[in-house]
Amino acid sequence: MAKASDYDIVTFQRKPGRWRANVTPIVQIATRRQGLTILGFVTTEDSSSEESAAIAADKAIKALDDS
């Protein structure tokens, strides 16, 4: 299962009252691979608070292994 500690999560306010999170993997230079490396993503839906955006990011990270 993907772990949130392997990712850098930055929340941001897209517009007043609408929050999203940017998720970027923390990659060591030695383990970096070309082609299949995820550069990062933004959560797909707006959240009503910064905390709920971070929770949505955690759920998205866990869903990475399900795909």
Side-chain angles (χ1 to χ4, degrees):
M1 181 186 316
K3 298 180 292 183
S5 61
D6 293 336
Y7 294 84
D8 184 27
I9 300 171
V10 177
T11 56
F12 61 95
Q13 194 169 26
R14 193 174 68 80
K15 60 182 180 180
R18 302 293 183 192
W19 291 83
R20 290 203 182 176
N22 181 43
V23 181
T24 307
I26 300 170
V27 180
Q28 301 296 328
I29 294 173
T31 63
R32 193 171 178 173
R33 295 184 303 178
Q34 292 243 249
L36 299 176
T37 303
I38 297 173
L39 298 178
F41 62 92
V42 175
T43 51
T44 57
E45 296 185 19
D46 289 336
S47 299
S48 59
S49 68
E50 186 173 8
E51 182 179 352
S52 60
I55 291 168
D58 285 337
K59 287 180 183 179
I61 290 168
K62 289 177 183 174
L64 288 175
D65 280 344
D66 294 339
S67 54

